[in-house]
Amino acid sequence: MTYAVTAVSGQLGREIALTLARQVGPERVIGLARSPEKASGLGIAVRPGDYDQPDQLRSSLAGVDALVLVSGMAPPDERIGQHRNVIAAAKAAGVAKIVYTSIQGPEAGTPFSPIVQSNRQTEADIRASGLDWAIGRNGIYIEPDIAYLDSYRARGEIANSAGDGRCGYTTRSELACAYAALLIRAEMNGTIANLNGVPITQAELAQHLNATFGIDLSYRAMSPDAYVADRTAELGPFIGPIIGGIYDGIRQGAYDTPGDFEAVTGRPHQSWGDYFSHLAD
């Protein structure tokens, strides 16, 4: 079997490709990237993989048996068409199976919902493709909270609109293990899996950060409108409402799921105590 992963110049695609290479051997893994020169150092063959170039995709997928389609970053309407290009190219190239990196989230009622809806449309397109398939729905990455630590520290708090909602966070490395399993394990065909760790509240996240980094953050709940305004002021009118919509989804319970990680990988998701203790090392 020859496996391929799209978007290997990005963080999730790169993690998946590296995990696959460790498990099956680098000679059996092909990376696709819109700019292959930005995907150096993976130790695998990297081919052009621009979602807007159907002919290029067909050529680059030649000889591939199973593919991980990493969800694109374009606006929702564009993203659906781009993903359809990949699905059609995979069929034309003789790929037998597609695994898609989808997302959890509120399907209506928040500024993030159009992105969730676009992912659901790609899920439907893959299920209707006639190929074998498996779909993962990612929880929220926890890494951005670590990257944002200095800002939290400067404010002395975590403030957002999640309220008491519980969020099934995850990490890119854990997701990579899950997507490798969804790709390799034939018994996972036809699976839609929620991929996340044990859900925690924002107050619990603050406690983990405090214990790990010796700080004293509190959590303050904001209204959804106030948080969208806060994020828009810092991140702009496109990203700000999206981030606000994610946290409103947490408040609504859209990410409060026990998840299917162990069923997919054969082991529990890394615990948050373990994750944070490694950060402190």
Side-chain angles (χ1 to χ4, degrees):
M1 294 281 287
T2 298
Y3 303 100
V5 182
T6 70
V8 294
S9 60
Q11 294 181 82
L12 180 57
R14 183 181 183 88
E15 286 281 350
I16 296 170
L18 289 171
T19 298
L20 274 172
R22 288 192 296 268
Q23 292 187 10
V24 304
E27 71 283 354
R28 296 173 58 193
V29 180
I30 294 168
L32 273 64
R34 183 172 60 183
S35 301
E37 68 276 6
K38 295 181 180 179
S40 61
L42 290 173
I44 61 172
V46 179
R47 299 175 182 175
D50 188 329
Y51 291 178
D52 288 315
Q53 301 292 328
D55 292 340
Q56 180 193 89
L57 290 165
R58 284 193 296 272
S59 177
S60 292
L61 289 171
V64 170
D65 297 297
L67 169 70
V68 177
L69 167 54
V70 177
S71 188
M73 298 296 291
D77 289 345
E78 294 178 34
R79 187 182 310 194
I80 290 169
Q82 290 176 338
H83 293 166
R84 285 173 174 167
N85 288 341
V86 179
I87 296 165
K91 290 186 68 174
V95 174
K97 177 177 178 177
I98 295 181
V99 173
Y100 176 50
T101 70
S102 190
I103 53 174
Q104 298 174 40
E107 297 184 13
T110 80
F112 188 56
S113 298
I115 294 176
V116 178
Q117 292 165 9
S118 75
N119 277 251
R120 297 293 177 268
Q121 181 59 59
T122 294
E123 293 179 15
D125 291 340
I126 289 172
R127 295 197 307 270
S129 69
L131 304 178
D132 289 332
W133 58 269
I135 292 165
R137 291 179 176 173
N138 301 348
I140 298 298
Y141 297 149
I142 204 166
E143 291 95 336
D145 283 285
I146 308 306
Y148 208 67
L149 184 64
D150 287 344
S151 293
Y152 289 150
R153 194 195 309 261
R155 296 183 179 191
E157 64 178 10
I158 298 173
N160 56 48
S161 59
D164 294 329
R166 294 166 62 83
C167 180
Y169 287 101
T170 188
T171 69
R172 293 184 182 92
S173 60
E174 288 290 76
L175 287 174
C177 292
Y179 282 112
L182 287 172
L183 190 67
I184 293 169
R185 297 176 62 191
E187 63 269 30
M188 291 289 102
N189 291 0
T191 295
I192 298 177
N194 286 328
L195 303 176
N196 56 269
V198 173
I200 58 174
T201 65
Q202 298 298 291
E204 289 170 323
L205 172 62
Q207 291 170 4
H208 281 298
L209 292 170
N210 289 341
T212 302
F213 297 104
I215 53 181
D216 188 22
L217 301 177
S218 59
Y219 173 66
R220 176 170 62 88
M222 302 175 67
S223 73
D225 287 345
Y227 188 57
V228 167
D230 176 85
R231 293 296 81 205
T232 300
E234 180 172 333
L235 302 172
F238 177 66
I239 296 296
I242 288 174
I243 299 300
I246 290 172
Y247 281 87
D248 198 24
I250 297 173
R251 181 184 63 83
Q252 296 175 18
Y255 302 93
D256 189 2
T257 167
D260 306 302
F261 189 90
E262 186 168 5
V264 171
T265 65
R267 65 167 176 83
H269 190 285
Q270 183 182 32
S271 72
W272 297 120
D274 184 53
Y275 172 78
F276 281 98
S277 69
H278 281 86
L279 291 181
D281 291 344

PDB file of all heavy atoms in Angstrom, residues 174-202:
ATOM      1  N   GLU A 174      -1.714  13.830  18.758  1.00  0.00           N
ATOM      2  CA  GLU A 174      -2.715  12.794  18.997  1.00  0.00           C
ATOM      3  C   GLU A 174      -3.600  12.605  17.763  1.00  0.00           C
ATOM      4  O   GLU A 174      -3.953  11.479  17.396  1.00  0.00           O
ATOM      5  CB  GLU A 174      -3.565  13.144  20.219  1.00  0.00           C
ATOM      6  CG  GLU A 174      -2.828  13.011  21.543  1.00  0.00           C
ATOM      7  CD  GLU A 174      -2.547  11.569  21.906  1.00  0.00           C
ATOM      8  OE1 GLU A 174      -1.618  10.969  21.319  1.00  0.00           O
ATOM      9  OE2 GLU A 174      -3.261  11.038  22.773  1.00  0.00           O
ATOM     10  N   LEU A 175      -3.965  13.696  17.121  1.00  0.00           N
ATOM     11  CA  LEU A 175      -4.740  13.587  15.888  1.00  0.00           C
ATOM     12  C   LEU A 175      -3.975  12.807  14.823  1.00  0.00           C
ATOM     13  O   LEU A 175      -4.561  11.999  14.092  1.00  0.00           O
ATOM     14  CB  LEU A 175      -5.095  14.976  15.350  1.00  0.00           C
ATOM     15  CG  LEU A 175      -6.161  15.747  16.119  1.00  0.00           C
ATOM     16  CD1 LEU A 175      -6.286  17.161  15.558  1.00  0.00           C
ATOM     17  CD2 LEU A 175      -7.514  15.037  16.076  1.00  0.00           C
ATOM     18  N   ALA A 176      -2.676  13.031  14.722  1.00  0.00           N
ATOM     19  CA  ALA A 176      -1.888  12.311  13.726  1.00  0.00           C
ATOM     20  C   ALA A 176      -1.948  10.810  13.952  1.00  0.00           C
ATOM     21  O   ALA A 176      -2.061  10.028  12.999  1.00  0.00           O
ATOM     22  CB  ALA A 176      -0.438  12.801  13.753  1.00  0.00           C
ATOM     23  N   CYS A 177      -1.890  10.393  15.200  1.00  0.00           N
ATOM     24  CA  CYS A 177      -2.014   8.958  15.505  1.00  0.00           C
ATOM     25  C   CYS A 177      -3.376   8.426  15.080  1.00  0.00           C
ATOM     26  O   CYS A 177      -3.493   7.321  14.534  1.00  0.00           O
ATOM     27  CB  CYS A 177      -1.798   8.718  16.996  1.00  0.00           C
ATOM     28  SG  CYS A 177      -0.121   9.019  17.576  1.00  0.00           S
ATOM     29  N   ALA A 178      -4.414   9.218  15.331  1.00  0.00           N
ATOM     30  CA  ALA A 178      -5.759   8.775  14.979  1.00  0.00           C
ATOM     31  C   ALA A 178      -5.933   8.696  13.468  1.00  0.00           C
ATOM     32  O   ALA A 178      -6.523   7.729  12.951  1.00  0.00           O
ATOM     33  CB  ALA A 178      -6.794   9.720  15.579  1.00  0.00           C
ATOM     34  N   TYR A 179      -5.420   9.673  12.743  1.00  0.00           N
ATOM     35  CA  TYR A 179      -5.602   9.642  11.287  1.00  0.00           C
ATOM     36  C   TYR A 179      -4.774   8.547  10.638  1.00  0.00           C
ATOM     37  O   TYR A 179      -5.205   7.952   9.643  1.00  0.00           O
ATOM     38  CB  TYR A 179      -5.308  11.020  10.682  1.00  0.00           C
ATOM     39  CG  TYR A 179      -6.474  11.948  10.901  1.00  0.00           C
ATOM     40  CD1 TYR A 179      -6.377  13.039  11.755  1.00  0.00           C
ATOM     41  CD2 TYR A 179      -7.697  11.692  10.291  1.00  0.00           C
ATOM     42  CE1 TYR A 179      -7.453  13.855  11.988  1.00  0.00           C
ATOM     43  CE2 TYR A 179      -8.787  12.507  10.517  1.00  0.00           C
ATOM     44  CZ  TYR A 179      -8.669  13.582  11.366  1.00  0.00           C
ATOM     45  OH  TYR A 179      -9.760  14.380  11.596  1.00  0.00           O
ATOM     46  N   ALA A 180      -3.631   8.252  11.181  1.00  0.00           N
ATOM     47  CA  ALA A 180      -2.869   7.107  10.666  1.00  0.00           C
ATOM     48  C   ALA A 180      -3.667   5.819  10.845  1.00  0.00           C
ATOM     49  O   ALA A 180      -3.724   4.972   9.940  1.00  0.00           O
ATOM     50  CB  ALA A 180      -1.518   7.013  11.377  1.00  0.00           C
ATOM     51  N   ALA A 181      -4.321   5.673  11.995  1.00  0.00           N
ATOM     52  CA  ALA A 181      -5.125   4.472  12.239  1.00  0.00           C
ATOM     53  C   ALA A 181      -6.336   4.426  11.318  1.00  0.00           C
ATOM     54  O   ALA A 181      -6.676   3.364  10.761  1.00  0.00           O
ATOM     55  CB  ALA A 181      -5.569   4.429  13.700  1.00  0.00           C
ATOM     56  N   LEU A 182      -7.023   5.549  11.141  1.00  0.00           N
ATOM     57  CA  LEU A 182      -8.178   5.580  10.245  1.00  0.00           C
ATOM     58  C   LEU A 182      -7.779   5.216   8.818  1.00  0.00           C
ATOM     59  O   LEU A 182      -8.544   4.589   8.087  1.00  0.00           O
ATOM     60  CB  LEU A 182      -8.828   6.966  10.268  1.00  0.00           C
ATOM     61  CG  LEU A 182      -9.623   7.341  11.519  1.00  0.00           C
ATOM     62  CD1 LEU A 182     -10.025   8.811  11.471  1.00  0.00           C
ATOM     63  CD2 LEU A 182     -10.858   6.462  11.686  1.00  0.00           C
ATOM     64  N   LEU A 183      -6.580   5.601   8.425  1.00  0.00           N
ATOM     65  CA  LEU A 183      -6.108   5.327   7.070  1.00  0.00           C
ATOM     66  C   LEU A 183      -5.706   3.875   6.891  1.00  0.00           C
ATOM     67  O   LEU A 183      -6.069   3.232   5.903  1.00  0.00           O
ATOM     68  CB  LEU A 183      -4.919   6.243   6.758  1.00  0.00           C
ATOM     69  CG  LEU A 183      -4.440   6.261   5.302  1.00  0.00           C
ATOM     70  CD1 LEU A 183      -5.488   6.893   4.401  1.00  0.00           C
ATOM     71  CD2 LEU A 183      -3.118   7.005   5.187  1.00  0.00           C
ATOM     72  N   ILE A 184      -4.977   3.331   7.847  1.00  0.00           N
ATOM     73  CA  ILE A 184      -4.372   2.006   7.697  1.00  0.00           C
ATOM     74  C   ILE A 184      -5.354   0.888   8.009  1.00  0.00           C
ATOM     75  O   ILE A 184      -5.348  -0.152   7.353  1.00  0.00           O
ATOM     76  CB  ILE A 184      -3.128   1.900   8.613  1.00  0.00           C
ATOM     77  CG1 ILE A 184      -2.029   2.859   8.123  1.00  0.00           C
ATOM     78  CG2 ILE A 184      -2.617   0.479   8.670  1.00  0.00           C
ATOM     79  CD1 ILE A 184      -0.886   3.007   9.109  1.00  0.00           C
ATOM     80  N   ARG A 185      -6.207   1.090   8.997  1.00  0.00           N
ATOM     81  CA  ARG A 185      -7.067   0.007   9.490  1.00  0.00           C
ATOM     82  C   ARG A 185      -8.335  -0.113   8.634  1.00  0.00           C
ATOM     83  O   ARG A 185      -9.213   0.744   8.677  1.00  0.00           O
ATOM     84  CB  ARG A 185      -7.437   0.254  10.949  1.00  0.00           C
ATOM     85  CG  ARG A 185      -6.250   0.266  11.904  1.00  0.00           C
ATOM     86  CD  ARG A 185      -6.678   0.601  13.316  1.00  0.00           C
ATOM     87  NE  ARG A 185      -7.605  -0.382  13.853  1.00  0.00           N
ATOM     88  CZ  ARG A 185      -8.291  -0.215  14.998  1.00  0.00           C
ATOM     89  NH1 ARG A 185      -8.163   0.908  15.694  1.00  0.00           N
ATOM     90  NH2 ARG A 185      -9.113  -1.161  15.421  1.00  0.00           N
ATOM     91  N   ALA A 186      -8.441  -1.195   7.893  1.00  0.00           N
ATOM     92  CA  ALA A 186      -9.612  -1.392   7.027  1.00  0.00           C
ATOM     93  C   ALA A 186     -10.903  -1.474   7.832  1.00  0.00           C
ATOM     94  O   ALA A 186     -11.977  -1.095   7.336  1.00  0.00           O
ATOM     95  CB  ALA A 186      -9.432  -2.660   6.192  1.00  0.00           C
ATOM     96  N   GLU A 187     -10.826  -1.938   9.081  1.00  0.00           N
ATOM     97  CA  GLU A 187     -12.029  -2.040   9.890  1.00  0.00           C
ATOM     98  C   GLU A 187     -12.583  -0.665  10.277  1.00  0.00           C
ATOM     99  O   GLU A 187     -13.711  -0.562  10.775  1.00  0.00           O
ATOM    100  CB  GLU A 187     -11.784  -2.876  11.147  1.00  0.00           C
ATOM    101  CG  GLU A 187     -10.772  -2.305  12.121  1.00  0.00           C
ATOM    102  CD  GLU A 187      -9.354  -2.793  11.865  1.00  0.00           C
ATOM    103  OE1 GLU A 187      -9.017  -3.084  10.693  1.00  0.00           O
ATOM    104  OE2 GLU A 187      -8.592  -2.880  12.850  1.00  0.00           O
ATOM    105  N   MET A 188     -11.821   0.391  10.036  1.00  0.00           N
ATOM    106  CA  MET A 188     -12.290   1.746  10.285  1.00  0.00           C
ATOM    107  C   MET A 188     -13.078   2.314   9.107  1.00  0.00           C
ATOM    108  O   MET A 188     -13.660   3.405   9.210  1.00  0.00           O
ATOM    109  CB  MET A 188     -11.109   2.679  10.586  1.00  0.00           C
ATOM    110  CG  MET A 188     -10.413   2.430  11.915  1.00  0.00           C
ATOM    111  SD  MET A 188     -11.428   2.917  13.345  1.00  0.00           S
ATOM    112  CE  MET A 188     -12.018   1.305  13.889  1.00  0.00           C
ATOM    113  N   ASN A 189     -13.122   1.607   7.988  1.00  0.00           N
ATOM    114  CA  ASN A 189     -13.868   2.104   6.832  1.00  0.00           C
ATOM    115  C   ASN A 189     -15.330   2.348   7.201  1.00  0.00           C
ATOM    116  O   ASN A 189     -15.952   1.540   7.895  1.00  0.00           O
ATOM    117  CB  ASN A 189     -13.791   1.116   5.679  1.00  0.00           C
ATOM    118  CG  ASN A 189     -12.402   1.017   5.080  1.00  0.00           C
ATOM    119  OD1 ASN A 189     -11.471   1.687   5.526  1.00  0.00           O
ATOM    120  ND2 ASN A 189     -12.243   0.182   4.067  1.00  0.00           N
ATOM    121  N   GLY A 190     -15.863   3.469   6.740  1.00  0.00           N
ATOM    122  CA  GLY A 190     -17.242   3.821   7.042  1.00  0.00           C
ATOM    123  C   GLY A 190     -17.444   4.431   8.417  1.00  0.00           C
ATOM    124  O   GLY A 190     -18.578   4.604   8.850  1.00  0.00           O
ATOM    125  N   THR A 191     -16.354   4.819   9.080  1.00  0.00           N
ATOM    126  CA  THR A 191     -16.406   5.374  10.437  1.00  0.00           C
ATOM    127  C   THR A 191     -16.417   6.898  10.402  1.00  0.00           C
ATOM    128  O   THR A 191     -15.674   7.520   9.642  1.00  0.00           O
ATOM    129  CB  THR A 191     -15.185   4.911  11.249  1.00  0.00           C
ATOM    130  OG1 THR A 191     -15.239   3.499  11.423  1.00  0.00           O
ATOM    131  CG2 THR A 191     -15.136   5.584  12.617  1.00  0.00           C
ATOM    132  N   ILE A 192     -17.258   7.497  11.238  1.00  0.00           N
ATOM    133  CA  ILE A 192     -17.159   8.927  11.560  1.00  0.00           C
ATOM    134  C   ILE A 192     -16.828   9.005  13.041  1.00  0.00           C
ATOM    135  O   ILE A 192     -17.609   8.556  13.881  1.00  0.00           O
ATOM    136  CB  ILE A 192     -18.462   9.680  11.264  1.00  0.00           C
ATOM    137  CG1 ILE A 192     -18.802   9.602   9.769  1.00  0.00           C
ATOM    138  CG2 ILE A 192     -18.337  11.145  11.702  1.00  0.00           C
ATOM    139  CD1 ILE A 192     -20.116  10.275   9.404  1.00  0.00           C
ATOM    140  N   ALA A 193     -15.635   9.538  13.366  1.00  0.00           N
ATOM    141  CA  ALA A 193     -15.130   9.482  14.741  1.00  0.00           C
ATOM    142  C   ALA A 193     -14.857  10.874  15.284  1.00  0.00           C
ATOM    143  O   ALA A 193     -14.190  11.690  14.623  1.00  0.00           O
ATOM    144  CB  ALA A 193     -13.841   8.658  14.785  1.00  0.00           C
ATOM    145  N   ASN A 194     -15.365  11.154  16.483  1.00  0.00           N
ATOM    146  CA  ASN A 194     -14.981  12.367  17.199  1.00  0.00           C
ATOM    147  C   ASN A 194     -13.620  12.146  17.843  1.00  0.00           C
ATOM    148  O   ASN A 194     -13.445  11.193  18.617  1.00  0.00           O
ATOM    149  CB  ASN A 194     -16.015  12.712  18.267  1.00  0.00           C
ATOM    150  CG  ASN A 194     -17.294  13.273  17.688  1.00  0.00           C
ATOM    151  OD1 ASN A 194     -17.272  13.945  16.670  1.00  0.00           O
ATOM    152  ND2 ASN A 194     -18.411  12.992  18.336  1.00  0.00           N
ATOM    153  N   LEU A 195     -12.677  13.020  17.543  1.00  0.00           N
ATOM    154  CA  LEU A 195     -11.297  12.848  17.994  1.00  0.00           C
ATOM    155  C   LEU A 195     -10.952  13.956  18.981  1.00  0.00           C
ATOM    156  O   LEU A 195     -10.672  15.095  18.599  1.00  0.00           O
ATOM    157  CB  LEU A 195     -10.343  12.866  16.790  1.00  0.00           C
ATOM    158  CG  LEU A 195     -10.637  11.816  15.711  1.00  0.00           C
ATOM    159  CD1 LEU A 195      -9.696  11.988  14.520  1.00  0.00           C
ATOM    160  CD2 LEU A 195     -10.519  10.397  16.282  1.00  0.00           C
ATOM    161  N   ASN A 196     -10.994  13.621  20.254  1.00  0.00           N
ATOM    162  CA  ASN A 196     -10.710  14.606  21.300  1.00  0.00           C
ATOM    163  C   ASN A 196     -10.383  13.898  22.596  1.00  0.00           C
ATOM    164  O   ASN A 196     -10.652  12.705  22.769  1.00  0.00           O
ATOM    165  CB  ASN A 196     -11.908  15.538  21.507  1.00  0.00           C
ATOM    166  CG  ASN A 196     -13.193  14.821  21.833  1.00  0.00           C
ATOM    167  OD1 ASN A 196     -13.954  14.484  20.917  1.00  0.00           O
ATOM    168  ND2 ASN A 196     -13.452  14.560  23.115  1.00  0.00           N
ATOM    169  N   GLY A 197      -9.792  14.659  23.513  1.00  0.00           N
ATOM    170  CA  GLY A 197      -9.534  14.157  24.850  1.00  0.00           C
ATOM    171  C   GLY A 197     -10.715  14.405  25.767  1.00  0.00           C
ATOM    172  O   GLY A 197     -11.793  14.811  25.335  1.00  0.00           O
ATOM    173  N   VAL A 198     -10.502  14.151  27.051  1.00  0.00           N
ATOM    174  CA  VAL A 198     -11.557  14.357  28.046  1.00  0.00           C
ATOM    175  C   VAL A 198     -11.931  15.843  28.081  1.00  0.00           C
ATOM    176  O   VAL A 198     -11.059  16.707  28.233  1.00  0.00           O
ATOM    177  CB  VAL A 198     -11.090  13.900  29.442  1.00  0.00           C
ATOM    178  CG1 VAL A 198     -12.123  14.268  30.512  1.00  0.00           C
ATOM    179  CG2 VAL A 198     -10.822  12.399  29.444  1.00  0.00           C
ATOM    180  N   PRO A 199     -13.210  16.192  27.926  1.00  0.00           N
ATOM    181  CA  PRO A 199     -13.602  17.599  27.917  1.00  0.00           C
ATOM    182  C   PRO A 199     -13.331  18.290  29.253  1.00  0.00           C
ATOM    183  O   PRO A 199     -13.531  17.709  30.324  1.00  0.00           O
ATOM    184  CB  PRO A 199     -15.105  17.539  27.618  1.00  0.00           C
ATOM    185  CG  PRO A 199     -15.316  16.240  26.922  1.00  0.00           C
ATOM    186  CD  PRO A 199     -14.341  15.297  27.585  1.00  0.00           C
ATOM    187  N   ILE A 200     -12.869  19.539  29.163  1.00  0.00           N
ATOM    188  CA  ILE A 200     -12.605  20.349  30.348  1.00  0.00           C
ATOM    189  C   ILE A 200     -13.207  21.735  30.158  1.00  0.00           C
ATOM    190  O   ILE A 200     -13.444  22.185  29.044  1.00  0.00           O
ATOM    191  CB  ILE A 200     -11.095  20.483  30.643  1.00  0.00           C
ATOM    192  CG1 ILE A 200     -10.353  21.106  29.462  1.00  0.00           C
ATOM    193  CG2 ILE A 200     -10.499  19.127  31.013  1.00  0.00           C
ATOM    194  CD1 ILE A 200      -8.883  21.399  29.728  1.00  0.00           C
ATOM    195  N   THR A 201     -13.449  22.417  31.276  1.00  0.00           N
ATOM    196  CA  THR A 201     -13.942  23.792  31.230  1.00  0.00           C
ATOM    197  C   THR A 201     -12.766  24.761  31.109  1.00  0.00           C
ATOM    198  O   THR A 201     -11.604  24.390  31.287  1.00  0.00           O
ATOM    199  CB  THR A 201     -14.726  24.134  32.498  1.00  0.00           C
ATOM    200  OG1 THR A 201     -13.825  24.107  33.625  1.00  0.00           O
ATOM    201  CG2 THR A 201     -15.872  23.150  32.736  1.00  0.00           C
ATOM    202  N   GLN A 202     -13.086  26.014  30.839  1.00  0.00           N
ATOM    203  CA  GLN A 202     -12.045  27.042  30.782  1.00  0.00           C
ATOM    204  C   GLN A 202     -11.415  27.260  32.161  1.00  0.00           C
ATOM    205  O   GLN A 202     -10.215  27.530  32.271  1.00  0.00           O
ATOM    206  CB  GLN A 202     -12.631  28.353  30.255  1.00  0.00           C
ATOM    207  CG  GLN A 202     -13.169  28.263  28.849  1.00  0.00           C
ATOM    208  CD  GLN A 202     -12.099  27.911  27.839  1.00  0.00           C
ATOM    209  OE1 GLN A 202     -11.207  28.718  27.573  1.00  0.00           O
ATOM    210  NE2 GLN A 202     -12.163  26.708  27.286  1.00  0.00           N
TER     211      GLN A 202
END
